[in-house]
Amino acid sequence: MSLETSIMAEMKEAMKSKDEATLRGLRAIKAALLLLKTSGSEVTEDAELKMLQKLVKQRKDSLEIFQQQNRNDLAQKEEEEIKVIEKFLPQPLSEDELKLAVQKIIIDTGASSPADMGKVMGVATKQLAGKADGKAISAAVKELLK
């Protein structure tokens, strides 16, 4: 089942149950998917995954700003949308799984010092795309290359 098909089915259910928060999140995904399709580039599963990750990152950034400004009403909306969008993302790696994966990449690339961080990050971000956040990958690489 494609992402678009599953979103449409979920939207139908959200409309029936009058679940505004879910509907808002699904509409955001649908709009981003439509933009991706009209951009002219091929819509692959990888492109859809990157789009979903971008949507979550945007909402997390907004959430942080709203919390700093004590706008709990807006922060709550962002949290609700994040939960909806994350349902369509693969399960992220745990901290231990991430460190194990980064350790393997460090061994494979032959990195030994913090100067090799760029080389490790290049491989790690490709291999762990969709499974871990870039900040988390970066933190794990820094910790392991001390």
Side-chain angles (χ1 to χ4, degrees), residues 81-92:
E81 288 183 23
I82 289 169
K83 286 177 187 169
V84 171
I85 297 167
E86 284 181 337
K87 285 196 289 188
F88 296 96
L89 287 170
Q91 193 65 32

Side-chain angles (χ1 to χ4, degrees), residues 4 8 11 14 22 30-31 38-39 58-59 69 95 105-106 112 122 125 128 130 132 135-136 145:
E4 188 173 16
M8 295 307 288
M11 276 182 78
T22 302
K30 185 180 173 198
T38 57
S39 69
Q58 288 172 341
R59 275 150 188 81
Q69 297 176 348
E95 197 173 321
I105 292 168
I106 289 171
S112 58
T125 50
L128 303 174
K135 288 180 184 177
L145 280 180

Side-chain angles (χ1 to χ4, degrees), residues 7 23 27 48 60 72 83 91 93 102 121 140 146:
I7 287 175
L23 201 51
R27 284 183 175 143
E48 289 176 346
K60 283 185 178 176
N72 295 330
K83 286 177 187 169
Q91 193 65 32
L93 294 174
V102 170
M121 282 299 295
K146 284 183 183 177

Side-chain angles (χ1 to χ4, degrees), residues 28-95:
I29 296 171
K30 185 180 173 198
L33 195 55
L34 192 63
L35 282 171
L36 186 65
K37 282 184 174 182
T38 57
S39 69
S41 60
E42 186 181 337
V43 181
T44 61
E45 198 172 310
D46 196 38
E48 289 176 346
L49 187 67
K50 284 182 180 166
M51 178 222 28
L52 290 171
Q53 289 172 325
K54 183 179 176 185
L55 290 175
V56 170
K57 185 180 184 323
Q58 288 172 341
R59 275 150 188 81
K60 283 185 178 176
D61 291 345
S62 297
L63 175 66
E64 198 174 299
I65 292 167
F66 293 146
Q67 286 174 336
Q68 288 171 359
Q69 297 176 348
N70 290 326
R71 292 296 310 266
N72 295 330
D73 53 332
L74 296 173
Q76 183 182 357
K77 286 184 179 184
E78 295 297 327
E79 284 176 334
E80 291 167 348
E81 288 183 23
I82 289 169
K83 286 177 187 169
V84 171
I85 297 167
E86 284 181 337
K87 285 196 289 188
F88 296 96
L89 287 170
Q91 193 65 32
L93 294 174
S94 71
E95 197 173 321

